[in-house]
Amino acid sequence: MRIFINKLLRNDKSLMLAYDQGLEHGPKDLDMKTVDPKYIFDIALEGMYEAIIVQHGVAEKYYQKYYKEVPLVIKLNGKTSMTNIAPISRQLCSVERAIKLGAVAVGYTVYTGSPNEPEIFSEFSKIVETAHDYGMPVIGWMYPRGPGIDERSVDVLAYAARVGLELGADMLKMKYNDNPEGFKWIVKCAGKARVMVAGGDRIDEQHFLQKSEEIMKTGVTGMAVGRNVWQHQYPMAISKALRKIVHHGATTQEAERIYEEEIHKK
Ligand code: FBP
């Protein structure tokens, strides 16, 4: 079966911009600038991201012709942070609708270890089947979560990565646990499913770039970041620096130099 994964890659690496936090975390992550999806789409376009990840509602209203150079990934499920239920995030958009909206790939959060695992796995597997019939890659947000689950444990994350591979995901979006050696094993367990690392809470740029360099050395395909880019005062400077690390294997020092040059151009 031919899956068009190349649409998400440049020289076998990938840098994506995630913007579904308005749903997942609420407007507390946003301000007067970042609340406007257009601001984020502009960063994705100018920063030459390999993809922008949004919910279907945002795609429908903001993914205009003008942005077509930025491949679109539609997140098919989602939930707010207000619910107090055992982890589950239901499908809200079909693969067919994502295709109509211009998506080249779809994403879905799989909470391994959740008491709702059976429903989650079954919903995800149907999505994989449908998307693959169209040759469309599927990105699994492989997030271990639930009572008694240690979300940063190497064993738990390696298990989540393996589940992603076994359930047919083509890419796995995972959170980094600050354990470079352990993360290499997690990437191995993912096999041919490519691992993309999420950005996480906003941290200062020096630590973010350092962390990104460390992450890229674990064998991942790239990063799918959100807040550390679009909440930044200089999103283009941080994007260019990050790009150097992800696509050109730059060191933190080299990336910092690019960042400094960019902010002094302003
Ligand atoms: P960030 O880079 O901003 O952390 O975004 C990554 C992401 O996977 C988003 O796509 C999603 O909204 C969020 O993290 C979900 O994380 P959590 O479930 O921990 O709130």
Side-chain angles (χ1 to χ4, degrees):
M1 194 171 289
R2 181 138 184 249
I3 308 297
F4 297 100
I5 189 104
N6 284 345
K7 292 184 177 172
L8 298 170
L9 303 170
R10 218 170 263 164
N11 300 323
D12 220 42
K13 293 278 180 266
S14 187
L15 183 57
M16 301 183 185
L17 196 61
Y19 185 63
D20 60 340
Q21 292 80 355
L23 174 69
E24 298 287 334
H25 303 154
K28 73 170 173 51
D29 275 2
L30 310 171
D31 63 14
M32 288 303 265
K33 252 189 327 200
T34 59
V35 75
D36 183 359
K38 191 179 171 311
Y39 178 74
I40 316 297
F41 276 95
D42 286 341
I43 297 172
L45 182 66
E46 207 187 320
M48 293 168 63
Y49 279 80
E50 271 67 65
I52 179 142
I53 304 163
V54 291
Q55 281 284 339
H56 62 99
V58 169
E60 188 166 37
K61 291 191 173 52
Y62 294 89
Y63 189 61
Q64 317 289 351
K65 252 205 186 113
Y66 177 67
Y67 295 117
K68 293 290 183 227
E69 270 174 47
V70 189
L72 177 70
V73 176
I74 300 264
K75 185 76 195 315
L76 296 184
N77 65 346
K79 60 162 189 56
T80 72
S81 56
M82 290 188 281
T83 53
N84 196 14
I85 49 173
I88 187 159
S89 179
R90 281 288 188 187
Q91 183 174 3
L92 308 168
C93 174
S94 66
V95 171
E96 284 79 6
R97 182 160 145 74
I99 293 170
K100 277 189 205 142
L101 291 169
V104 302
V106 289
Y108 182 98
T109 305
V110 175
Y111 293 122
T112 53
S114 162
N116 293 313
E117 222 183 51
E119 286 83 356
I120 297 170
F121 282 16
S122 142
E123 197 164 82
F124 183 63
S125 299
K126 285 189 193 115
I127 286 169
V128 170
E129 203 176 310
T130 311
H132 284 184
D133 279 347
Y134 290 104
M136 186 182 235
V138 178
I139 309 174
W141 271 232
M142 303 308 299
Y143 290 173
R145 200 157 297 175
I149 298 290
D150 176 356
E151 296 174 19
R152 288 172 60 83
S153 140
V154 171
D155 286 347
V156 169
L157 283 163
Y159 202 166
R162 195 68 188 183
V163 168
L165 171 71
E166 304 226 4
L167 296 188
D170 307 287
M171 279 185 161
L172 315 177
K173 186 167 192 273
M174 302 198 63
K175 296 196 184 192
Y176 186 53
N177 62 350
D178 297 299
N179 176 342
E181 282 316 305
F183 214 78
K184 284 183 190 161
W185 170 238
I186 293 162
V187 174
K188 266 272 177 252
C189 289
K192 282 190 182 176
R194 294 160 174 274
V195 177
M196 301 286 292
V197 172
D201 293 341
R202 176 77 206 282
I203 51 176
D204 69 78
E205 63 268 345
Q206 202 208 352
H207 286 109
F208 178 60
L209 293 174
Q210 235 164 38
K211 206 184 222 200
S212 305
E213 184 192 355
E214 191 176 292
I215 288 168
M216 288 312 296
K217 287 188 175 144
T218 63
V220 300
T221 290
M223 297 181 67
V225 302
R227 292 164 289 174
N228 274 289
V229 169
W230 49 254
Q231 284 182 348
H232 198 282
Q233 189 188 358
Y234 301 110
M236 286 320 300
I238 198 77
S239 295
K240 285 197 177 156
L242 184 58
R243 216 178 161 73
K244 275 281 166 199
I245 293 176
V246 171
H247 282 279
H248 305 282
T251 62
T252 308
Q253 291 69 28
E254 287 164 338
E256 275 176 337
R257 217 172 305 131
I258 288 160
Y259 172 80
E260 290 296 329
E261 275 168 26
E262 284 297 315
I263 63 167
H264 291 112
K265 269 192 204 164
K266 312 270 162 201

